[in-house]
Every structure is written in C-alpha cells, then in structure tokens.
Amino acid sequence: MLCAACGGGGASGTGGATSATTGSDTTSATTGGMGGSGGAPLTTSTDASTTGSMASGTGGAAAMCGDGHKDPGEECDEGAKNSDTGTCTTMCKNAACGDGFVQTGEECDDGAMNSDTGACTTKCAAAKCGDGFTQMGEECDMGVMNSDTGACTSTCKNAVCGDSLVGPAEGCDLGAMNSDTGACTSMCKSATCGDSFVQSMVEQCDLGMGNNVDTGACTSMCKNASCGDGFVRTGVEECDMGMLNADTAACTAACKSAKCGDGLVQAGTEECDLGMGNLNTGTCTLACKNAKCGDGFKQATEACDDGNMVNGDGCNIDCVASGTVLLTKSDAVADAWYAVTKDPSGNIITAGVVSVANQGTNAIVQKQSPTGVVLWTQTFNGAGNGDDAAYGVTTDKLGNVIVVGAVVTAVGSGSDVWVRKYDMNGATVWTQVYAGNPAQVTYNDFGLGVATNSANDVFITGAVVPNVTTNAFDILVAKLAGLNGTIAWTDVVNDTNPNPLNLAGTNHSDFGFAITVDANGAVIATGSIDNTDLSDVWVRKYQDNGVSFTALWNKTFNGPGNSTDTGSAIATDAAGNVYLAGSQTIAGGNLNTWISRLNSAGTQVWQTTASVNTPLADEALGIGVDPTGLVAVCGYFTQANNTQDGWVQKFSAAGVAIGAPSWPQTYNGNAGSDDAMNGLVLDANGAVYAAGAESTLAQGLNALLVKYAP
C-alpha cells in the first residue's frame, strides 16, 4: 500500500519517526523497521531509493493485496495463493458467485450477468434442463418435476401431442405415428369406438358417440351393419338372429323374416315353399303346406276336397266324391245276391242263388275281402233238387257266418226254413231245417232275415204256413241257440183280417222280411201284415228273456193308396232308433220307396218317399246307418220303358235325401233289362256295399256287388 511519508532503516538499526505533515493528513509512525529504531524526518522524494521496503532493517512498509495480510479494505489475502479461481481473488475479495470468476464449486460465473434465465444462474451453475429455470432454448423447466409424462418433459419441452410422450392430458402419443386411423389419434387420444375416427384393421366404421347404434349403419362395436351380426338394422333388415340365421329358420340368411312364399322352407313351420309357384291347387299350397287330402283345396289327383274329415258329406276323407263307384263285381258265380253283410274284420259276405242244371237253384254264400278278393264260396242243394235259396245272411261276434233261406228236402215237397252256420273259413258248423207244419210237406216255408246278439244267439224271421185250413203265410220270428241251432222260442204272427170268401187258399198272407238286434239286445222284426187294405208295414219289438220273449210294442203303417205296403229292411243305431225301408202304394198308383225312422219306443220320427220315378213301381229293399248318422237305402226304380235299374240313395239323419252329384246312384246292366240292389251293408267308414243282380247280354242274370264311396 502506498504511503505519503514512510521511513526506513537498515536491516539492523533503529530509527524514529517524526510527525510529518502532508497536506491536511497527519501520520505518526512509531514503529521502525525490522532491526533498528529511531527515525529521521521523512521527506518527499521522487527518488526510488527512498521509497519501498527493505528486506532487513527497520522502518514502515506500505499495505498491498497479495502481501498475505488482510489489510483494511480487503476481505481476504492469501498472498501468493490469491487467485481469481481460488477462495481469495487477486483483488483480495472472498470468492463469491457473481464475482465474474469461476471458483471451485462453481460451474460458471458471468458476474453481474449471472441470471437464472441466462447461461449462468445466480447460483453460478451452468444453465441446464432440470434446474428449475427456463433458459434460452428451453420451453419450460420444473426442476425435479420435469417428466416425460408431465407438463414439462425431461428435455424441458412443453408436453405436446405428437412428441411421442404421453402427457397428463393425453391418452397416448406415438409421435409421428399419431393418426386418426391408428391406435393413437392426432389428438393423442387412445383410439376408441365412438371417437368418430375409423381405426384401420380394428374398426369398420365410426360415426361418433351417440351415432353408433346397433340398429344403424355402424354398430356400437364400430362394425358395419351386416346381416348376421345379430342386430336388426332399421329399414334394411327385417330380422337378424346372428349365427342362427338360416334359410330354414325364422330369420333367413338374407335377414328377412321367414314367410310362406319366400321360396325357402322353414323347419317346423312350413312343409314346402315354391315361392311364386305356391298354389292351393298345386303340390305346395299358399299356406306352405304339402298338398293333401283334407286341406280344403282340390289338387289334380283329387276328385274333391271339402277340408273336413267327414265321410258322406259329398266329399270324403280320402277326397273321393260321395257315391263314387269304388268296386263293381258282376259275377256269373251266382244269379243274384239277396243279402249282404260284413264280418268283424270288414270282409264282405253275400248270400243268394245260383242256377244249376237239374237242380233248379242252389243256395250260395260267398266271402270276399273288402277289395273284392274271393276268400271262399259255399253252395247248398237240398235233397229234393228243387229251388233252394239263401235270402238272408249275418255274422256273429266271432266271425261265424249264419245264413237263412229255403230248401226243398224231398222231391215234390215244398220248401222249409233253412238255417246254416259256417265258421270263418267256410266250414259248416251246423244246419237246421224248420217246417211251419211238418205234417204238410207240400207247403212252402221261408227264412228271409237273420241277426245275432252279443251272446252269438241267432234270430230269424220269415214266413211259414202253419194252418192248412187257411193255407196262408204267417210271420215267423224265432230265437235259435248259437251253439247248435235248436229253437229257444218262436212267435208266429197272423193277421186278424178274415177271409172274405171263407175259402181255403185265399186268406191273405203275412211275411217277416228282416230282423235286427239293437245295442241293448232287443229284437226288432219287420215285414208286411194283412189288414183290410191288403197289407201294411209291420214292426214288432221283442225283449229276449232267454227261452221266452216279451213283445214290447207292435206298429203298423198304412200307405196313402190303402194297398200293398211292405217293410223290407231294418236297421238300428247306437241310441236304439229303428230305421225301416220298404214300399208303400201311392194313391191311385204303384209302389213307392218308403223310408222311416222310429225312436226306441216305436214312435215315428219321420218318413219319406224318395222315389226316382213316382208313377212307376219303386221299392227300397235294404237299409243301413253309417257312423255319422247318415242313412243309406238301396232297391230299384222303374224306368219309363218299364225296366228296372238298381238304386242307392243316402239320407240325412233327419230323412232328407242327399242330392246330386253324390246321390242317388243308379245301376243299369248292359242288357238294358231288369237290375236291382237287394241289400246293402256299410263299412266302418260309411262306404256302401250294395248287392243284387243285373241282366247281362252274355250271361243272363249275374250276381252284382258294387261298392260306393261314403
């Protein structure tokens, strides 16, 4: 340090100093140099030898930075160690951030230019990302809070979409790969269905939140609406069952609701579907049902179809029109069938006559299958080689066949009542012959009708001549034991009309033509009985008491012509109603067919005369009731040329004749001569088997069997 007045001495002397006055300052020096004392007045000199410090001696030295002493005004002085990069600078200032020198522990020092936003911070640290200060080149600096997932990244960049870093407001960030069609959108949102962007390979569509709907063009799963996705697109699809869509299901493969007429057969719902080819008259109806009998539509293979399962109403359950001829057998095996029945198996049994040379006529019985196949035939010739005949036939519950008729037992004798029982194979079980008056062999007796009950007993009716005085026929009703044909009881019915001339052989005759047994075991017989008007229809109901009978009621019916009236056939239904068929003489005319229904007490419910040709003779000879309550009647009618044709007619349960085209059915043989239906039987379905005779050109009179649809 420089002084205004300094003193000095040798290395080993003393000296003193006097006060010196320089200007206005006064300095006293009492200390000498290193080795002496004393002093001399200090004079100002420009001579260099009088100014300075000595290595040895006495005297005062000027203070200076770097002398190793901390002098006033100095913060430090380490002498030769003073260094601007040390703890004490060359200006004897303590090293400090901001002194412009980079000391130990400092990364930089720009002095007064230190700045937290500059290259060197106020803490003499080199500016850097992460120091908490935003310097030039940085967008941000949050210090230790810098994070690639935060608002300021580890590179002191503000977090932005597209920097490949997922910021706090971002769901993703793939940098340059951000794309609205990728996994991360241009807005750094994770691609999701409903964000309005279609992510390739992931989504097929995206209409945005609220617009993606399973019933729209783009589903809630961002898939293009398509048939088979399980969702019904409004206005486009009718249905959609997903994997269950099938052309055979309720929803087709084209997402159309299955419907008849679409050309596709839906399992469990449709039987067929020809699309536009569906026709009620074709193989597949408009209801997609296979054409079949009973569907109400007439297809090419059907004669009719009324849509119900009822026989006898005009169109039957097999779609055959009522009255259609199903079987015709004209057979010279017999001249005529007088009666027909069926066995429990539905086989048809006919009885009649056949002409045999030198034997007159023989009785004949034949069993056929329902289709007309002959199963067996039996004939019978009486010992008298006269005219023998089978007039009535029935079966019992076991299928045995019982036939009744007339047989000439000796040459020159009259006929006797003949009854024979065959087993189901046609073998004879027993034969019985009965005479009305055994003492008078020349009289004729006839068995005309036969029936059985649930115990297989046999009941017959016919005509016998028991009284040689009157020589007239009386009605015979008898019960025979089914086991051997022995008589259990008989009832011989004679009219009360006296012989007006009281002459033998002129008394009116009475006949029993038909007999039946109702569901309760009551026996009902019908025929004709003489009254003052020649004959009336006769009906009597019996209670069978085993070996005796009780007559429950007796009815007669007189026709409008007060002439010949006859009950030719009888039947009953399950309720015990009685149905009669025969003829009555019209006023001033010929015979007319007559059909009537009585209740179980014998009260007439209705009657009808359904003649085909009223002015000429017509007769009803057979009757039956089918399972639906319809009544079938057969017989003959006379044509204008006075030849007879076979006739079959059905009536309602109320007695109203069923009309064309079903009924009546008539039969005219090829000879153009007399034909007739003498009896009928109905099968379980109501089909009519009518048996009779026809005149043929080649063979004369032939037995005839015709089957008509119900």
Side-chain angles (χ1 to χ4, degrees):
M1 184 174 179
L2 297 179
C3 299
C6 296
S12 59
T14 61
T18 63
S19 62
T21 303
T22 302
S24 60
D25 290 330
T26 300
T27 302
S28 294
T30 61
T31 302
M34 292 283 296
S37 63
L42 181 62
T43 60
T44 302
S45 177
T46 58
D47 193 333
S49 63
T50 61
T51 304
S53 61
M54 299 296 289
S56 62
T58 60
M64 59 181 298
C65 178
D67 60 5
H69 300 286
K70 179 180 177 184
D71 298 318
E74 295 178 338
E75 296 176 354
C76 62
D77 194 331
E78 294 178 351
K81 291 184 178 180
N82 283 357
S83 170
D84 288 338
T85 59
T87 59
C88 190
T89 67
T90 59
M91 294 298 292
C92 289
K93 298 292 183 182
N94 287 325
C97 179
D99 60 6
F101 305 111
V102 179
Q103 288 92 19
T104 301
E106 294 179 337
E107 296 176 352
C108 61
D109 196 330
D110 291 336
M113 296 184 65
N114 282 359
S115 170
D116 288 338
T117 59
C120 190
T121 70
T122 57
K123 293 183 179 181
C124 290
K128 61 185 176 184
C129 180
D131 59 9
F133 305 112
T134 305
Q135 288 91 22
M136 185 178 296
E138 296 179 336
E139 297 175 355
C140 60
D141 197 325
M142 298 175 68
V144 296
M145 295 182 66
N146 285 357
S147 170
D148 288 341
T149 59
C152 191
T153 70
S154 60
T155 59
C156 291
K157 299 293 184 182
N158 289 322
V160 294
C161 180
D163 59 6
S164 298
L165 304 173
V166 180
E170 298 175 336
C172 60
D173 198 324
L174 298 176
M177 295 182 65
N178 285 354
S179 169
D180 289 337
T181 60
C184 192
T185 71
S186 60
M187 299 296 291
C188 288
K189 300 294 182 182
S190 294
T192 58
C193 181
D195 60 9
S196 298
F197 304 115
V198 179
Q199 281 71 51
S200 60
M201 307 299 291
V202 177
E203 298 175 335
Q204 297 175 343
C205 59
D206 198 324
L207 299 177
M209 189 64 65
N211 294 319
N212 291 344
V213 290
D214 291 336
T215 57
C218 189
T219 71
S220 60
M221 299 296 290
C222 289
K223 300 293 183 182
N224 289 324
S226 61
C227 181
D229 60 10
F231 306 114
V232 180
R233 185 178 178 188
T234 304
V236 177
E237 299 174 334
E238 296 177 358
C239 59
D240 198 322
M241 298 174 65
M243 296 296 291
L244 296 177
N245 287 355
D247 289 339
T248 59
C251 192
T252 69
C255 288
K256 299 294 184 182
S257 295
K259 59 187 176 183
C260 182
D262 59 10
L264 306 170
V265 180
Q266 281 73 50
T269 303
E270 300 175 336
E271 297 175 356
C272 59
D273 199 324
L274 299 177
M276 297 297 292
N278 289 352
L279 293 172
N280 287 335
T281 56
T283 58
C284 189
T285 70
L286 292 175
C288 288
K289 300 293 184 182
N290 289 323
K292 61 184 177 182
C293 179
D295 60 12
F297 308 111
K298 181 181 177 297
Q299 282 90 30
T301 58
E302 299 172 336
C304 60
D305 196 325
D306 57 7
N308 64 41
M309 300 304 289
V310 177
N311 277 329
D313 63 349
C315 187
N316 298 324
I317 61 176
D318 55 1
C319 290
V320 173
S322 295
T324 300
V325 176
L326 304 178
L327 170 69
T328 300
K329 289 190 69 176
S330 177
D331 196 343
V333 68
D335 297 340
W337 300 127
Y338 291 132
V340 61
T341 192
K342 64 182 178 67
D343 68 10
S345 299
N347 297 307
I348 305 301
I349 299 97
T350 50
V353 295
V354 57
S355 296
V356 179
N358 302 318
Q359 296 179 4
T361 60
N362 288 175
I364 183 170
V365 183
Q366 188 174 85
K367 181 176 182 178
Q368 306 177 45
S369 73
T371 58
V373 177
V374 175
L375 303 177
W376 53 259
T377 303
Q378 294 289 0
T379 60
F380 180 80
N381 178 34
N385 283 328
D387 288 331
D388 308 314
Y391 293 117
V393 66
T394 192
T395 64
D396 63 17
K397 303 303 180 186
L398 301 176
N400 297 306
V401 177
I402 302 94
V403 63
V404 66
V407 63
V408 178
T409 58
V411 176
S413 70
S415 61
D416 292 331
V417 175
W418 171 74
V419 186
R420 173 169 281 194
K421 181 176 182 178
Y422 299 94
D423 68 17
M424 66 177 62
N425 298 314
T428 300
V429 178
W430 51 256
T431 304
Q432 294 288 4
V433 176
Y434 307 98
N437 188 334
Q440 298 295 325
V441 297
T442 58
Y443 296 151
N444 291 316
D445 304 315
F446 303 92
L448 300 174
V450 62
T452 59
N453 64 10
S454 59
N456 299 320
D457 293 320
V458 179
F459 299 87
I460 64 170
T461 190
V464 295
V465 183
N467 191 331
V468 296
T469 302
T470 61
N471 194 23
F473 289 107
D474 290 341
I475 297 169
L476 170 68
V477 178
K479 176 184 178 181
L480 313 180
L483 182 64
N484 53 24
T486 57
I487 294 177
W489 56 257
T490 61
D491 182 28
V492 177
V493 183
N494 183 23
D495 66 80
T496 58
N497 185 29
N499 181 349
L501 300 178
N502 198 25
L503 298 174
T506 61
N507 191 50
H508 294 161
S509 293
D510 311 311
F511 297 89
F513 287 112
I515 193 167
T516 191
V517 178
D518 70 13
N520 296 317
V523 180
I524 309 103
T526 188
S528 63
I529 193 166
D530 180 59
N531 283 318
T532 57
D533 53 2
L534 293 182
S535 70
D536 292 340
V537 175
W538 170 84
V539 190
R540 179 172 287 185
K541 184 174 183 178
Y542 299 86
Q543 177 181 302
D544 173 29
N545 300 321
V547 294
S548 65
F549 68 88
T550 301
L552 299 177
W553 48 258
N554 191 87
K555 301 288 181 178
T556 59
F557 299 94
N558 179 27
N562 288 317
S563 185
T564 302
D565 309 313
T566 302
S568 301
I570 191 168
T572 60
D573 61 20
N577 296 303
V578 179
Y579 299 83
L580 303 169
S583 58
Q584 288 186 339
T585 303
I586 62 175
N590 285 305
L591 292 174
N592 221 3
T593 58
W594 177 80
I595 302 97
S596 182
R597 173 182 166 183
L598 316 179
N599 64 20
S600 60
T603 302
Q604 189 175 62
V605 179
W606 53 257
Q607 68 174 358
T608 183
T609 54
S611 292
V612 178
N613 196 347
T614 301
L616 302 176
D618 310 316
E619 288 190 83
L621 302 175
I623 195 168
V625 184
D626 75 13
T628 67
L630 298 181
V631 181
V633 180
C634 72
Y636 70 87
F637 75 97
T638 303
Q639 297 192 79
N641 63 0
N642 284 318
T643 61
Q644 297 172 355
D645 283 352
W647 169 79
V648 181
Q649 173 71 60
K650 271 200 173 182
F651 298 85
S652 71
V656 178
I658 298 173
S662 299
W663 308 103
Q665 294 294 325
T666 60
Y667 190 91
N668 182 18
N670 62 27
S673 187
D674 291 338
D675 313 300
M677 297 299 189
N678 297 319
L680 64 76
V681 68
L682 296 142
D683 68 12
N685 296 318
V688 180
Y689 289 86
E694 73 158 332
S695 297
T696 67
L697 292 173
Q699 298 169 321
L701 202 61
N702 274 4
L704 177 67
L705 178 67
V706 181
K707 179 181 179 181
Y708 299 95

